Amino acid sequence: MAREQLSEPHFNWNGFADRPQLAAALASHVAGLLTNAIAQRGTALLAVSGGTTPAKFFAALSAIPIVWDKVVVTLVDERFVPPSSPRSNAGLVAANLLQNKAAAARFVPLYHEAASIEDAAATDSEALRSLPWPLDVVILGMGGDGHTASFFPDAGNLEELLDPASRRIVVPVHAASGGEPRLTLSMARIVAAGFVALHIEGEDKRTAFNGAMGPGLKKPIRRVLEAAPRPIEVFWAP
């Protein structure tokens, strides 16, 4: 794993020659962290992003023989759509991660059928409150506009989402650029995790990431990096 310390003190850059190498390295590292968490407290809590980018990582992780029945998996964020929808992050996780050896893990979804996104967020928060916080591992993605999780730049409640002192667990998101209403873990819950990785692929994402680090810019991804109490590990491949 090639590591290059960048000027921003809140992240480390991990570059790989190709996406299969990235997936294998990230999966191996995450499996080790989950195994250590299980050894220390009997369980491990993993939150992952959706989309198609992590599919190879999910497949690699699902094949590693850790004690999966001691692992709880949830989502960083979710669209307000049922798991049968092709846009459901839960559906993507079920198809790509909760397979093979990882089929024994317990999955806690964010989507619940509800009258409103606000009601769904309240239900989610109650469901997740009993989990063994803090999160052991978080895997984030990033959009070309600099959003991560569902912290969209045009979200009307962006400051609430990014409040480092927030005690909320799941927060509803309304943002035109996000399409459907979203459900997301608060930034405070994400950055409190023992390990946070940002998984991005392609030259366009590297360019977007570097652009978000520009002086004076306050893209959501930069604000997450600034709030993190320890460096976030960026995993990238072309």
Side-chain angles (χ1 to χ4, degrees), residues 196-209:
V196 182
L198 175 65
H199 178 181
I200 55 176
E201 297 178 349
E203 293 293 346
D204 57 337
K205 288 292 180 73
R206 178 167 186 164
T207 298
F209 180 83

Side-chain angles (χ1 to χ4, degrees), residues 35-89:
T35 296
N36 288 342
I38 292 167
Q40 290 174 15
R41 56 196 186 102
T43 189
L45 184 53
L46 166 67
V48 297
S49 61
T52 57
T53 297
K56 288 184 175 62
F57 157 64
F58 285 163
L61 181 61
S62 73
I64 297 177
I66 68 175
V67 188
W68 280 105
D69 61 359
K70 301 294 186 182
V71 177
V72 180
V73 179
T74 191
L75 289 162
V76 170
D77 63 337
E78 177 63 285
R79 297 174 177 89
F80 192 44
V81 297
S84 58
S85 168
R87 291 178 58 76
S88 166
N89 286 342

Side-chain angles (χ1 to χ4, degrees), residues 117-137:
I117 191 76
E118 288 75 20
D119 288 346
T123 299
D124 288 336
S125 293
E126 286 306 308
L128 269 63
R129 196 176 305 280
S130 63
L131 297 184
W133 297 93
L135 292 157
D136 294 296
V137 177

Side-chain angles (χ1 to χ4, degrees), residues 117-118 150 152 154-158 161 172-182:
I117 191 76
E118 288 75 20
S150 283
F152 291 95
D154 63 338
N157 62 335
L158 183 61
L161 298 171
V173 183
H174 295 277
S177 61
E180 304 94 339
R182 304 281 187 113

Side-chain angles (χ1 to χ4, degrees), residues 188-224:
R189 296 283 174 166
I190 289 172
V191 300
F195 174 83
V196 182
L198 175 65
H199 178 181
I200 55 176
E201 297 178 349
E203 293 293 346
D204 57 337
K205 288 292 180 73
R206 178 167 186 164
T207 298
F209 180 83
N210 289 341
M213 297 302 106
L217 295 179
K218 287 294 183 180
K219 295 283 190 180
I221 183 60
R222 182 185 178 110
R223 294 181 64 180
V224 172

